[in-house]
Amino acid sequence: MNKSEHWQAVIEQWKASGLTQKHFCAKEDIKVATLHYWIKKFRTDDSVSVEPAFLPIRSVSAQ
């Protein structure tokens, strides 16, 4: 497995974990900056697709 394949797998593990990047990195002993680097690298690489993750929010109005 080359470096790109390794980091693709790590990113998939993070996405599947449901954890924030910070918590995932702490758990896996990875620097957050390193994870960010690879996510950005894959976003600009046409051969690899990394979609941004969004969490749904719910608006609560005060009455």
Side-chain angles (χ1 to χ4, degrees):
M1 176 181 290
N2 68 31
K3 210 178 235 192
S4 288
E5 291 170 337
H6 167 77
W7 282 101
Q8 280 180 279
V10 170
I11 291 168
E12 288 303 318
Q13 289 171 1
W14 158 65
K15 288 167 51 175
S17 75
L19 297 172
T20 63
Q21 290 177 4
K22 182 178 177 180
H23 286 114
F24 177 81
C25 288
K27 180 179 173 248
E28 299 295 324
D29 196 29
I30 299 170
K31 292 181 181 178
V32 176
T34 303
L35 182 64
H36 286 178
Y37 167 83
W38 283 99
I39 291 170
K40 184 176 180 181
K41 181 172 176 58
F42 291 139
R43 278 191 188 143
T44 59
D45 183 348
D46 292 337
S47 67
V48 180
S49 174
V50 177
E51 296 297 322
F54 293 98
L55 297 175
I57 60 169
R58 189 177 75 187
S59 178
V60 179
S61 62
Q63 294 181 355

